[in-house]
């Protein structure tokens, strides 16, 4: 099972999360590409450190929305969104190659992630960007989402993703961050949920129902309180049951 986290989400003088500590825990790093967060120097630094630690690097592509951290939906024309995503993948790939590796996968961020999960136009734009840049790149997204289906139809590899500390709705979507039950705070519960997703392919929704969630990667959020300690606990819990490695 792969463990991924969003890294490089600072901008200029601002820093978010402990990237160095998380790179000692995760097997894949979703690196911000400068649109919702990140900047060239941050991208270069995270890529260099990820390569040194043997962590796979993924392009975390998002809306052009630094002020909103990419968490506000933007309605794009299909080709404009496709081109924005190609631009971001290419920028990060340049820093990966300087560091001695390459981009290994693509994952949408924030509102783009949630919109592409249900919206045909934006899902198809993400798929078109990956196909145009490198059809060998896997797409990391929620299993069963519109993006997952369209990516598979286009011949792309799809890696299903589960979320360690996010609440799930009965239909398998994530609970909106505006709700009080959007995050799971108890560390023991988070570890138990992750192990269940990894081993059984299911997760308990906020209403108590069981939701199918067959995943190859677990997302750890680096901007939540106690993120590094929680990430270590999740890795330890998974390591007791299976091998932890990049997908």
């Amino acid at each position: 099972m792969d463990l991924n986290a969003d890294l490089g989400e600072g901008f200029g003088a601002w820093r978010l999360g402990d990237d160095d500590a998380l790179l000692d825990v995760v097997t894949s790093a979703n690196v911000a590409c400068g649109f919702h967060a990140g900047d060239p120097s941050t991208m270069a630094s995270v890529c260099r450190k990820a390569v040194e630690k043997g962590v796979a690097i993924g392009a975390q592509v998002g809306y052009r929305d630094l002020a909103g951290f990419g968490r506000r939906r933007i309605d794009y024309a299909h080709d404009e969104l496709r081109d924005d995503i190609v631009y971001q993948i290419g920028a990060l790939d340049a820093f990966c190659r300087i560091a001695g590796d390459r981009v290994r996968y693509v994952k949408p961020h924030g509102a783009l992630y949630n919109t592409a999960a249900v919206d045909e136009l934006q899902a198809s734009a993400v798929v078109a960007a990956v196909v145009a840049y490198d059809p060998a790149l896997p797409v990391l997204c929620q299993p069963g989402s519109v993006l997952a289906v369209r990516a598979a139809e286009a011949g792309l590899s799809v890696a299903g993703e589960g979320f360690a500390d996010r609440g799930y709705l009965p239909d398998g979507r994530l609970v909106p961050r505006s709700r009080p039950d959007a995050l799971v705070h108890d560390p023991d519960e988070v570890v138990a949920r992750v192990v269940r997703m990894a081993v059984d392919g299911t997760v308990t929704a906020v209403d108590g129902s069981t939701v199918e969630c067959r995943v190859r990667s677990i997302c750890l959020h680096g901007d939540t309180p106690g993120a590094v300690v929680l990430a270590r606990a999740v890795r330890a819990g998974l390591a007791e049951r299976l091998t932890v490695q990049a997908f």
Side-chain angles (χ1 to χ4, degrees):
M1 180 61 62
D2 175 62
L3 286 177
N4 77 77
D6 302 344
L7 303 180
E9 292 187 318
F11 179 77
W14 303 102
R15 292 292 176 263
L16 180 65
D18 190 341
D19 288 357
D20 290 349
L22 283 169
L23 281 170
D24 287 328
V25 180
V26 300
T27 50
S28 296
N30 318 315
V31 181
C33 300
F35 273 33
H36 75 276
D39 57 48
S41 293
T42 301
M43 292 160 68
S45 176
V46 174
C47 288
R48 183 178 66 255
K49 292 174 181 177
V51 171
E52 290 172 353
K53 294 178 182 291
V55 175
I57 300 169
Q60 188 170 44
V61 296
Y63 293 141
R64 248 183 290 173
D65 182 27
L66 281 173
F69 195 56
R71 286 181 173 164
R72 303 178 293 190
R73 173 171 174 156
I74 298 175
D75 290 321
Y76 278 78
H78 175 279
D79 290 358
E80 182 183 9
L81 180 56
R82 177 202 61 207
D83 294 345
D84 273 9
I85 294 169
V86 169
Y87 183 99
Q88 292 175 78
I89 299 171
L92 184 66
D93 199 34
F95 289 114
C96 285
R97 291 179 184 275
I98 290 171
D101 201 354
R102 61 180 176 81
V103 166
R104 298 286 175 175
Y105 63 93
V106 175
K107 174 186 172 179
H109 165 81
L112 176 57
Y113 187 100
N114 293 330
T115 302
V118 297
D119 184 271
E120 291 282 352
L121 184 148
Q122 296 207 10
S124 66
V126 174
V127 170
V130 178
V131 168
Y133 189 85
D134 183 355
L137 290 175
V139 176
L140 182 60
C141 60
Q142 279 193 273
S145 63
V146 173
L147 177 56
V149 172
R150 295 294 167 260
E153 289 175 347
L156 299 176
S157 174
V158 177
E161 178 181 39
F163 289 82
D165 61 352
R166 290 294 306 275
Y168 279 80
L169 297 170
D171 63 1
R173 292 180 297 125
L174 298 177
V175 174
R177 283 185 174 268
S178 57
R179 286 179 37 168
D181 53 354
L183 293 174
V184 180
H185 298 282
D186 180 73
D188 292 337
E189 182 181 355
V190 170
V191 173
R193 287 162 60 86
V194 166
V195 171
R196 181 179 177 186
M197 279 190 277
V199 176
D200 298 333
T202 62
V203 65
T204 301
V206 290
D207 67 347
S209 62
T210 297
V211 177
E212 185 173 341
C213 188
R214 301 196 178 280
V215 300
R216 293 168 59 192
S217 183
I218 299 293
C219 180
L220 305 164
H221 283 111
D223 57 345
T224 55
V228 175
V229 173
L230 183 60
R232 289 172 179 152
V234 167
R235 176 152 187 160
L238 281 174
E240 292 179 357
R241 304 292 298 273
L242 37 78
T243 301
V244 179
Q245 61 185 21
F247 62 86

